[in-house]
Structures are given as structure tokens and as C-alpha cells.
Amino acid sequence: MTSTHAFWLAGRQATGEDTFDVTSPWDGRLVGTVSVPTDAQVEEAVAAAHAVLDEFAATPAHVRAAALDHVAKRLAERAEEIAQLITAENGKPIKWARGEVGRAVSVFRLAAEEARRFNAGEAQRLDTDAGGQGRLAVTRRFPKGVVLGIAPFNFPLNLCAHKVAPAIAAGAPIVLKPAPATPLSALLLGELLAETDLPAGSWSVLTVPNDRMPALVQDERLPVISFTGSDKVGYAIEGSVPHKHCTLELGGNAAVVVLADWSSDEDLDWAANRIATFSNYQAGQSCISVQRVIADASVHDRLLPRIVAAVEAQNTGDPSDPATDVGPLVSEDAARRVESWVEEAVNAGAKLLTGGKRDGASYAPTVLTDVPAGVALATEEVFGPVLTVQKVNGEAEAFAAVNDSKFGLQAGVFTHDLQTAFRAHRALEVGGVIIGDAPSYRADQMPYGGVKQSGVGREGVRSAMEDYTYERVLVLTGLAL
């Protein structure tokens, strides 16, 4: 391995004229130096992807499936190495980094399975009316074009996998732009893709800075954009290219509801531990980390001290230590922003029950109550290890509180009642409702996405493949049906 990490241009390694450093948010050490593509190299990658579009779409399913299986196998073989790389560049505790690698293995395995069965075609008789006698419609799916995948820093491997694997499975070339803060996991993924027999132009990993993203977004040869990140940037992208197909996986301020029937000591202990874990995992830097707890008045006073105790039991510190639950945020600037939001809420009347302290890029797991409406902590995505708790009276008030947000990604509802679960599914304005657990649960094969300002479209392997393709109908005439 060279001292400077090369990027991947149309399936081969290349270096540009400039470089940037990747540093650990935990201790500031240099993790790697990364080469930056020139404008000419970006043009070469996009042109190669566009040129191979028809060839790649026609690639036999077994070829694409074999490549995806290979990547899954190699990710599993190098799992510990990759997990340590994620921890180094992202600051994610090693136990969560290992889980992320395991999820990426599943994503590529699931994509290989979908590649083998996707697009088998659906036949439909058209002789339901006299004018359709002897006619049969066959519907298949074809790629909309080259995909531009723009990935965030918080899951530097798995969210790249969610862009790349479905594109390959569907036969759509992809140009991947990883987050500048965490590009090394994506470059290692490119190393594994390069071991396959995929057409050279079918994929690139370009480590371009964010200020050069608009040129890629505007390029007409990239008609499909899959973006994961902030709502501000996502909607700016969509607004700048209204004629393109955009899948936007944006922010949230995920709520969990604890209803009156979730009332035994065992119930409340389970809820408190799940809430504490998933408000602080990834240092709260997950779009579906728990930000708001909405507790029925009948259980609130017994639940709140349990939550505080469970949050205070979270181990903070060196992310390379397997015992660490909560590591640093991605940068000191990110931690300062979280600090300022908590201070704003406290100054406006919120009660700080635990936490509220910053040390460099680390922010202590924090719980607040009585947070006033209108402060950033109540209305925006905190993206940090901060949790608010509020008391409500009954199911209707609880569900209204969940919906009192511009975001709608996922929600959790602690209830034992099946009818309540179905009412929650109908009433809550979110993309996913998790019953009996925190809203942070995601299986990589399930449709994943939100409503309102949490985005448009769905990820999840099969859902993304459908998003990257369109239906085309073939009508056969003169058949003896």
C-alpha cells in the first residue's frame, strides 16, 4: 500500500495532483492521506460509466451476482481490519464498527440474491377486452442510467454498500462519492470491487471535495442521484436538478413512545436500556437514533430515572476499546454545535438531568426534560448523544407529539397491544414504525426511508434496485392465448 491512498477511476487505481489528510476524531492522529481526482479524471470516470451503460445492463445476472458474492466474502474475510479502519477514520466504537461490517456483508449478499431473481419479467394477458385479443404484455425493468451515489460519514462502509450493491445488482453503473471525512472505507470497498470481473467503467470511487459536488450533480450523464445526508443539502440537490430522479435519505429526530400498557418493571427496564443504547450509539450520529422519548403519564415517573441511570451507565472513551459504547463525534465542530444546542435549550428553561459536557470532539450522553418548543433541540436533528423526555396523556396525545415534527423517518412504540400497533402504523407520519423497540432498528433488506423532510424514495436492496430502474412494456401480438 502506498503512503497516499489512490482513488478508483473506472475500475483502476489512479492519483491526482492534490491530496488531503484523514485524521482520527478521537486523538487527531493521521489515519491516511488521500489523492484527489482532477477535473479531467472526474470527466474520464463519468464518460466511462456512460459509455458502458448498455453493456452493463446486458451483463448476465450470474456475472453481477458472482461479483457481489465475492465482495461479501472478502468483506467477511477482512472484517476486523475494516472495522478498525472505520473506527480510526470515523471515531465509531469498535463494537459498532464490527456490526457495520457485518451489515455490509449482508447488503452485498442480499444484492447477489436479488440480482439472480430481479427482472424475471411479468406477463399480463391483454385479451380482457376484445381489442386486446391475441396480445400479451411482458414487463421488465431497465436502468434509468448511471447512478451518482453520495454517501455520508456516519456509516462510511455500509451506506456506501447501500449505493453500490443495488446498482450493480440492477446493472446500473455507479459513480460513488464518499464523505471527505471518511473516504478510506469506500476506497477499500473499491479494492474488493477491483478483484471482480465487472466491466471497467461500471464503477468508480471518486474522492472529490464537497465544493466540487455541484458539477457532478448537474452532469446530464448522471440521471439518477442517491444521496444520504442533511435535509438542507438533499433538497438543494433536488431543487437544482428537478428533471433528475433523486432518492434522498435525509435527517430525522426519531421519537419513541412508551404507552400505558408497557408498565411492568421488566418492561420499563427493557425500554430504558434500549432507549439509552440507541440514543447514544454512533455518538447519536444516526438518522434513526432516539432523540425524543414520549412517555404516557402513567409510566413516566417510573421510566425517567431508569433512562437516566441507563444513559449514565454508557461507557464513554477510546473507540478502539471493545468496552466503549460512546466515542467522539466526527469532529470538534460537530460537538460544539451539539453543545450550543443544549445550552440554548437549558437557557430557555429545559432541565438538564445528566451529561451536558464537551471534551474536544466528545460529548457526554445527555438527558433533558421540559424542553421548550421552538429551540433547535426540539425541532432539528441533533445528530449527537442527546435525549429529551416528555410526558403525555394517552395514545392520541403521544401520536400527535410524534407527528409534531418536520421530519418523519422512523418511530418506536412500546406497546403489547396488537390493535395499538396497527393504529400506530396508520397514524404515525413516518417511513417505518418499530413495535416493542427503539426506532433505530433497520434490517438492510427492508424498505427504508422517510416522509416530510426526511426525504423521498426508499433504500433497502430491492427497493433501491427498483428506484434505479424503470418499467418497460413489451406487447406481443397474434398469440394463441
Side-chain angles (χ1 to χ4, degrees), residues 227-373:
F227 170 83
T228 302
S230 73
D231 57 318
K232 180 180 178 181
V233 175
Y235 286 119
I237 289 173
E238 185 183 49
S240 71
V241 285
H243 58 292
K244 290 194 177 189
H245 178 88
C246 294
T247 297
L248 305 177
E249 298 300 332
L250 308 179
N253 56 3
V256 61
V257 173
V258 184
L259 291 174
D261 69 307
W262 199 270
S263 59
S264 71
D265 288 340
E266 182 180 5
D267 285 343
L268 296 177
D269 287 342
W270 164 258
N273 285 322
R274 298 298 283 179
I275 289 166
T277 296
F278 290 104
S279 65
N280 294 292
Y281 86 127
Q282 331 287 340
Q285 297 171 122
S286 168
C287 296
I288 47 177
S289 68
V290 182
Q291 183 170 333
R292 299 182 291 151
V293 176
I294 299 161
D296 188 86
S298 64
V299 297
H300 173 274
D301 292 351
R302 294 167 58 216
L303 176 64
L304 182 58
R306 286 174 160 90
I307 291 175
V308 172
V311 167
E312 291 178 342
Q314 296 286 300
N315 291 318
T316 62
D318 185 346
S320 65
D321 184 343
T324 296
D325 299 309
V326 188
L329 280 79
V330 72
S331 68
E332 190 165 347
D333 284 345
R336 287 197 190 99
R337 178 191 55 76
V338 173
E339 180 182 44
S340 70
W341 286 14
V342 172
E343 289 176 352
E344 177 200 27
V346 171
N347 290 336
K351 294 179 182 177
L352 179 66
L353 301 185
T354 191
K357 297 179 181 179
R358 182 180 65 83
D359 181 9
S362 296
Y363 195 80
T366 297
V367 180
L368 302 100
T369 60
D370 301 330
V371 175

Side-chain angles (χ1 to χ4, degrees), residues 142-218:
F142 295 86
K144 294 173 180 174
V146 182
V147 177
L148 171 60
I150 305 171
F153 69 83
N154 56 327
F155 289 85
L157 176 68
N158 197 43
L159 291 183
C160 288
H162 270 286
K163 311 296 183 192
V164 172
I168 292 172
I174 182 165
V175 174
L176 177 68
K177 183 205 155 328
T182 57
L184 301 178
S185 300
L187 293 175
L188 193 148
L189 180 58
E191 184 180 333
L192 305 185
L193 288 167
E195 297 172 354
T196 71
D197 294 326
L198 294 172
S202 62
W203 62 274
S204 292
V205 182
L206 302 181
T207 48
V208 296
N210 288 340
D211 60 8
R212 290 170 60 191
M213 188 169 70
L216 281 168
V217 167
Q218 293 291 332

Side-chain angles (χ1 to χ4, degrees), residues 392-409:
V392 295
N393 291 301
E395 175 188 309
E397 188 174 327
F399 290 173
V402 173
N403 291 340
D404 185 20
S405 171
K406 66 181 180 180
F407 297 109
L409 191 48

